[in-house]
Amino acid sequence: MERAGSRRIGRLWRSFVTKLVVTLIVFAAVPVLIYDLLDEADRERNALLFRIMQEEGRLISEGLLPYLEEFSPKAAAELEGLLPKLAAGGTTIKVLFRPAGSTKPNRFFFVASHPKVSGAMLDAEQRNLVDTGLLSKISESCDFRRSLATDFTNASGEEEVMTYLGSRYTSNGCWVILTSLARRHILYFSPDRQYWQTPELKVALAIYGFMAVLVLSIFTDAWRNLRRFSRVAHALRTGSKTGTSFRDQNRIPELDGVASDFDELVVALRRSEQLIRQAAEENAHALKAPLAVISQSLEPIRRAVPVDNAPGRKSLDLIERSVERLDAQISAARRIEEATAELMDQRMTVIELPRLLPVLVEEYRTRAEDRDIAVHLDVAPGLRVLGNDNLIESVMENVLENALDFSPSHSAIRVAAAPDGGMAVIRIDDEGPGVKEGDRDNIFGHHFSTRLADGLNGNYGIGLWIVRRNVEAMGGTVIGTNLPARGFRIEIRLPRR
């Protein structure tokens, strides 16, 4: 039981469909499994990057505020030269001033900035800053220091991210240092952005999707090609379509050689069938011609041997029986060779057993009635198999012939056909003596017979061998078993359609 389970698991794992399904699951699962890790890493990177930008803004603010303690024209000139040095890496610095005694946010005035803002845009820049609401948070004490992560659009329409705001009160009023960074200098960064919206992830997903499609296309192309090969094989087997070939149906260049080999194999099999038939005919003619000469030569010898010459007469009888036996053997051999050739070019079609079996059984019912043997038939309606009329006819003829030979008078032969899962089961029961247990496994062998007069009357043990060979050629099985009381059963199983 464990071994059978292991075989099923191994077969399932080797299955092309199983591997295709596993590949689909892997391609679907990998992004889901690693997305959270990548998202967390992206958040940590953004947080670290922004902390660096905020810290840079704080250092700039702390460095500038001492220059504003005693603001003078000289300090203003130094401030204008200092801002470009501090604004490295694209940082924007804005210096604003609110006179003492005023607390309104719109009372802040631009003192300096880097990059410089033209006079025409100063009012718009100031309004944009007021609209952010940050200036309104600066109290009368002008004591405000805070790291920021606020989006801002400057007067020229460029997007920025404000990183730090620091203020200091002096005798003249409130000074404010505001730092920001143009978004073009911090590619792909946004504090509110979801990781799946990042360009790098979109590019990675595009590459991953392309790889998935490529791998799956390899699987599906191979699968479709195998299905096309299967249809060609089915067409060749059933004869439903002529002129088709594996090479014509192949769509994968790497399989051209395999497809050509298959086509050559089909041609070789058909050629072999012709050669086998030809050889059978030639061998039979070559062997029977000398036998005919021997038989004709016995007539003058028999006339020449006196009737009272018992040894001579006995020798002649032995020669005649041997010639008859040899002739029968040659006929049997020819029959085997022809049957083998027939198997190589039999077209498989859907067979309606309720239509075919009554016709085959009826041919034997008259012969059976002459010996007071009843023949009963029971076929399930609509029972169909994939097979060949000639092969099934040969099977039933040999099995029924065998059953008639071993059935005593006043007995019965029962033929029944019924579905059993994916198989159709045909059972032929007789009431004969059955088969010895030691011979049961040999009855379907070549030249095996349980008849006492083996070899006489055409019995050379090839009937059940032909049965097994034909059934297996149709994808089925056949077994023989003794019935509990008396008799023997031949059970044939064929694939249903």
Side-chain angles (χ1 to χ4, degrees), residues 347-387:
R347 303 292 190 255
M348 300 299 167
T349 58
V350 176
I351 306 297
E352 301 280 350
L353 291 184
R355 173 192 61 81
L356 180 61
L357 290 184
V359 176
L360 300 178
V361 171
E362 187 63 31
E363 296 179 3
Y364 286 85
R365 183 169 276 123
T366 303
R367 291 175 51 191
E369 289 175 353
D370 292 341
R371 295 174 48 194
D372 292 327
I373 299 174
V375 179
H376 304 288
L377 176 63
D378 181 18
V379 184
L383 188 58
R384 303 188 304 170
V385 298
L386 180 63

Side-chain angles (χ1 to χ4, degrees), residues 26-65:
V26 169
F27 273 115
V30 167
V32 176
L33 295 175
I34 68 173
Y35 178 79
D36 289 340
L37 297 175
L38 295 175
D39 187 33
E40 180 65 25
D42 182 67
R43 286 197 296 268
E44 292 179 358
R45 186 202 69 169
N46 287 341
L48 178 60
L49 176 62
F50 207 67
R51 282 197 298 270
I52 293 173
M53 292 188 296
Q54 289 172 333
E55 185 64 16
E56 181 184 17
R58 185 188 69 79
L59 293 174
I60 292 173
S61 177
E62 294 296 330
L64 283 175
L65 287 175

Side-chain angles (χ1 to χ4, degrees), residues 2 45 115 201 238 277 330 360 381 385 442 487:
E2 293 181 359
R45 186 202 69 169
L201 182 62
T238 60
R277 291 181 184 275
I330 294 171
L360 300 178
V385 298
N442 301 322

Side-chain angles (χ1 to χ4, degrees), residues 23-32 34 201-215:
T23 302
L24 286 172
I25 293 174
V26 169
F27 273 115
V30 167
V32 176
I34 68 173
L201 182 62
K202 292 179 180 179
V203 172
L205 287 176
I207 296 174
Y208 185 83
F210 175 76
M211 291 175 58
V213 171
L214 182 63
V215 172

Side-chain angles (χ1 to χ4, degrees), residues 225 250-259:
N225 217 64
N250 179 49
R251 300 293 182 272
I252 300 177
E254 288 77 7
L255 294 180
D256 280 343
V258 176

Side-chain angles (χ1 to χ4, degrees), residues 70-80:
E70 297 293 337
F71 191 73
S72 64
K74 182 179 179 180
E78 292 178 354
L79 184 64
E80 288 290 339

Side-chain angles (χ1 to χ4, degrees), residues 91-246:
T91 301
T92 299
I93 304 173
K94 297 176 177 67
V95 181
L96 296 93
F97 175 71
R98 183 181 67 189
S102 177
T103 59
K104 295 181 179 180
N106 59 1
R107 294 297 296 167
F108 279 96
F109 301 98
F110 267 95
V111 175
S113 69
H114 181 81
K116 292 183 178 182
V117 180
S118 65
M121 293 186 177
L122 282 176
D123 290 340
E125 189 84 356
Q126 185 178 3
R127 284 195 301 271
N128 291 345
L129 286 173
V130 171
D131 291 341
T132 63
L134 291 174
L135 298 179
S136 63
K137 295 179 181 180
I138 301 175
S139 63
E140 186 177 354
S141 63
C142 193
D143 185 14
F144 188 87
R145 291 174 178 82
R146 179 177 296 177
S147 296
L148 304 175
T150 305
D151 289 332
F152 171 71
T153 304
N154 61 29
S156 61
E158 185 177 11
E159 293 185 352
E160 298 179 359
V161 178
M162 291 187 286
T163 59
Y164 190 82
L165 189 151
S167 65
R168 178 171 293 188
Y169 188 80
T170 67
S171 58
N172 295 324
C174 180
W175 291 91
V176 172
I177 306 297
L178 183 63
T179 62
S180 61
L181 199 65
R183 188 174 292 281
R184 57 188 171 86
H185 294 300
I186 46 175
L187 295 176
Y188 314 143
F189 174 80
S190 174
D192 301 324
R193 178 211 59 194
Q194 297 295 323
Y195 182 59
W196 60 266
Q197 296 174 320
T198 60
E200 62 266 29
L201 182 62
K202 292 179 180 179
V203 172
L205 287 176
I207 296 174
Y208 185 83
F210 175 76
M211 291 175 58
V213 171
L214 182 63
V215 172
L216 293 177
S217 68
I218 294 174
F219 272 94
T220 54
D221 286 347
W223 172 258
R224 286 197 295 265
N225 217 64
L226 289 174
R227 295 297 299 168
R228 283 191 288 268
F229 279 4
S230 176
R231 288 193 290 270
V232 172
H234 183 269
L236 291 171
R237 188 182 183 196
T238 60
S240 59
K241 189 176 182 180
T242 59
T244 185
S245 69
F246 292 97

Side-chain angles (χ1 to χ4, degrees), residues 232-378:
V232 172
H234 183 269
L236 291 171
R237 188 182 183 196
T238 60
S240 59
K241 189 176 182 180
T242 59
T244 185
S245 69
F246 292 97
R247 182 68 182 270
D248 292 340
Q249 295 299 314
N250 179 49
R251 300 293 182 272
I252 300 177
E254 288 77 7
L255 294 180
D256 280 343
V258 176
S260 297
D261 289 342
F262 283 162
D263 289 333
E264 291 175 4
L265 179 61
V266 172
V267 173
L269 287 174
R270 289 175 175 169
R271 178 60 178 165
S272 297
E273 175 207 354
Q274 298 173 356
L275 292 176
I276 290 173
R277 291 181 184 275
Q278 182 179 351
E281 186 71 26
E282 293 175 352
N283 291 339
H285 178 75
L287 293 173
K288 286 200 171 190
L291 288 180
V293 173
I294 295 173
S295 297
Q296 294 173 0
S297 301
L298 286 177
E299 289 301 320
I301 296 175
R302 182 179 295 279
R303 289 194 295 270
V305 176
V307 178
D308 57 355
N309 187 346
R313 288 288 178 173
K314 184 177 181 180
S315 297
L316 288 172
D317 291 338
L318 289 174
I319 293 173
E320 285 183 349
R321 285 199 296 270
S322 297
V323 169
E324 292 174 358
R325 181 183 176 88
L326 186 56
D327 184 70
Q329 288 277 21
I330 294 171
S331 297
R334 178 182 180 182
R335 183 183 175 192
I336 292 173
E337 291 176 345
E338 290 178 344
T340 302
E342 289 175 0
L343 278 183
M344 302 175 71
D345 192 32
Q346 290 294 343
R347 303 292 190 255
M348 300 299 167
T349 58
V350 176
I351 306 297
E352 301 280 350
L353 291 184
R355 173 192 61 81
L356 180 61
L357 290 184
V359 176
L360 300 178
V361 171
E362 187 63 31
E363 296 179 3
Y364 286 85
R365 183 169 276 123
T366 303
R367 291 175 51 191
E369 289 175 353
D370 292 341
R371 295 174 48 194
D372 292 327
I373 299 174
V375 179
H376 304 288
L377 176 63
D378 181 18

